[in-house]
Amino acid sequence: MDELLSNVYDARIKMKKNDYITSIFYHPWAACLDFYYTINFRNTERLKQLDDKGFVMLPKHQSALDIILEGMLLKRVLGRYGNYVMKDSLPKWLEYIGGISITQGKHLKRMLKKNKNRHSKRDILQEAKERRDYVDNTILNLLLMDEIVVVHSEGTRSYKEPFSINVPNIKKLLDIQKKLGKDLTFVPLNIKYEDKSKYRSSIELIVGNPINVPDNGLDKLVEHLMIEIPNNVTF
């Protein structure tokens, strides 16, 4: 654990997140969503019990609006900003408001398919591995500092589609937990849109029951997520 703690300061240097910039971005976007939609937060007492603790939030991912809505939930209930694992095709400036860029598997396959040069492919694979290691270490260090990490458990957006878990992503979090040396708290989050294109339509963010599982508790965690985030995507 002492060796892990010694990496905390390094992680802060590498991360670009700036709370001042985050606040500048957050307030106008939150105001826009409040104006356009009717937003309801459910079961927020489940978050309040975590207060200033570190935890992993695992939301259903339906829209590009999700991250803003998740930020609104965390800020209004806990007065805190989150850190978000995101695909590397998104704008790099998002790293200044808590984004942690990662190369998705499907994006990596496309890059390898386009590139016929064997040496270039090797470089692409090496760069992707280094990025994955960086993301894992960043998440580890954030949790050591009792920060909030948001990982969309489906891995990609699926608007109005049944909930489907990206199990390898969840397993990686348990691998990080093992390195951390203590059980993480996982918080499911269901996000439901009535019709995101319609003015004053409803959006619900429903906080699920937090859970701790052992390092080998992948099946238990997946089962819990499927219960807490039901496949009913309509109002």
Side-chain angles (χ1 to χ4, degrees):
M1 181 64 76
D2 289 341
E3 182 181 351
L4 294 175
L5 287 170
S6 70
N7 293 326
V8 170
Y9 187 66
D10 291 340
R12 280 193 180 276
I13 291 174
K14 292 175 185 175
M15 288 202 64
K16 298 177 181 178
K17 181 184 173 186
N18 181 293
D19 282 349
Y20 176 69
I21 296 174
T22 302
S23 68
I24 292 173
F25 174 88
Y26 164 80
H27 291 290
W29 273 103
C32 288
L33 292 192
D34 274 329
F35 171 78
Y36 195 82
Y37 298 105
T38 301
I39 304 171
N40 295 298
F41 303 108
R42 309 289 189 197
N43 303 335
T44 56
E45 69 281 356
R46 294 171 175 172
L47 275 183
K48 289 177 181 176
Q49 64 181 304
L50 296 171
D51 194 20
D52 58 352
K53 298 179 177 66
F55 61 90
V56 178
M57 180 174 280
L58 298 170
K60 176 171 176 57
H61 196 16
Q62 295 204 62
S63 166
L65 299 176
D66 290 351
I67 290 179
I68 304 170
L69 291 163
E70 292 151 9
M72 292 169 68
L73 171 67
L74 294 173
K75 184 62 175 173
R76 292 179 184 182
V77 177
L78 298 176
R80 301 169 64 187
Y81 295 116
N83 303 274
Y84 303 84
V85 176
M86 65 181 197
K87 59 184 180 181
D88 62 357
S89 58
L90 290 173
K92 296 302 180 188
W93 63 263
L94 289 172
E95 293 183 2
Y96 289 97
I97 59 171
I100 307 168
S101 299
I102 189 169
T103 304
Q104 290 183 312
K106 61 182 181 180
H107 184 208
L108 179 60
K109 287 178 182 178
R110 284 198 297 268
M111 288 192 296
L112 291 172
K113 189 175 181 179
K114 287 180 181 179
N115 200 311
K116 304 299 182 183
N117 184 285
R118 185 179 64 181
H119 296 293
S120 295
K121 284 186 175 183
R122 186 170 58 196
D123 291 342
I124 290 170
L125 287 170
Q126 179 61 29
E127 186 176 333
K129 180 184 182 303
E130 290 173 359
R131 170 52 57 171
R132 285 196 300 271
D133 290 343
Y134 165 77
V135 170
D136 289 350
N137 288 333
T138 299
I139 292 173
L140 174 65
N141 280 281
L142 285 168
L143 292 167
L144 277 168
M145 295 184 288
D146 286 327
E147 293 270 358
I148 302 168
V149 177
V150 181
V151 179
H152 294 101
S153 47
E154 290 167 292
T156 188
R157 295 197 301 267
S158 52
Y159 182 64
K160 295 283 189 179
E161 294 293 328
F163 183 54
S164 177
I165 299 173
N166 185 319
V167 176
N169 282 357
I170 303 300
K171 185 178 184 304
K172 275 187 172 292
L173 292 172
L174 290 177
D175 291 341
I176 291 170
Q177 172 178 280
K178 187 174 182 179
K179 292 179 183 178
L180 188 64
K182 64 177 182 179
D183 288 352
L184 294 173
T185 298
F186 297 97
V187 181
L189 179 65
N190 193 9
I191 304 178
K192 297 173 67 175
Y193 293 84
E194 181 182 13
D195 183 349
K196 67 179 182 178
S197 64
K198 184 178 177 182
Y199 176 64
R200 301 312 295 166
S201 63
S202 293
I203 301 176
E204 286 190 350
L205 283 79
I206 308 166
V207 181
N209 283 299
I211 187 174
N212 304 100
V213 298
D215 299 342
N216 61 355
L218 178 61
D219 291 343
K220 182 179 179 181
L221 180 53
V222 169
E223 180 183 7
H224 183 73
L225 289 172
M226 295 304 297
I227 292 171
E228 296 294 316
I229 307 178
N231 280 329
N232 179 15
V233 294
T234 58
F235 278 77

